[in-house]
Amino acid sequence: GFAVLAPLAVGWFSPLLAPGGALTGSVGAVLGTGETRGIGLAYVVFALILLLINVGGFSLRRLRRFDTEVPDSLPDDLVGAQERERKLAGKDAA
């Protein structure tokens, strides 16, 4: 995430909140303006995107009730132990 955030904040968001930037009068009134305000704007934008993803996921009944509707799978260590026992049983039979 930080590998994406830094170039976006510097390249796209910082000029928007620089003095005289496109969002100085609107968003700049809330977040402030200046050299580092673009990073703050990037965090706000990405937080809103995450909120939309969560609301979208919550609107899907199957995903919302995942714990109660989807049967539990076997843990990986149990699957491995069962596979090992099956292979050992095959060698004993041969």
Side-chain angles (χ1 to χ4, degrees):
F2 289 112
V4 173
L5 178 63
L8 282 177
V10 171
W12 290 358
F13 294 110
S14 289
L16 295 173
L17 291 177
L23 298 178
T24 302
S26 57
V27 178
V30 176
L31 296 179
T33 60
E35 189 176 313
T36 59
R37 297 291 83 204
I39 295 172
L41 176 61
Y43 273 106
V44 170
V45 168
F46 293 142
L48 291 173
I49 291 170
L50 285 172
L51 179 68
L52 288 174
I53 290 170
N54 284 315
V55 168
F58 191 72
S59 68
L60 301 172
R61 184 177 189 271
R62 179 88 168 172
L63 193 56
R64 183 176 60 242
R65 298 180 50 108
F66 186 81
D67 289 339
T68 57
E69 291 185 1
V70 176
D72 289 337
S73 63
L74 296 174
D76 290 339
D77 56 345
L78 181 58
V79 171
Q82 289 174 341
E83 183 65 20
R84 183 173 181 265
E85 287 176 15
R86 186 182 67 76
K87 286 182 179 180
L88 290 174
K91 286 182 182 179
D92 292 340

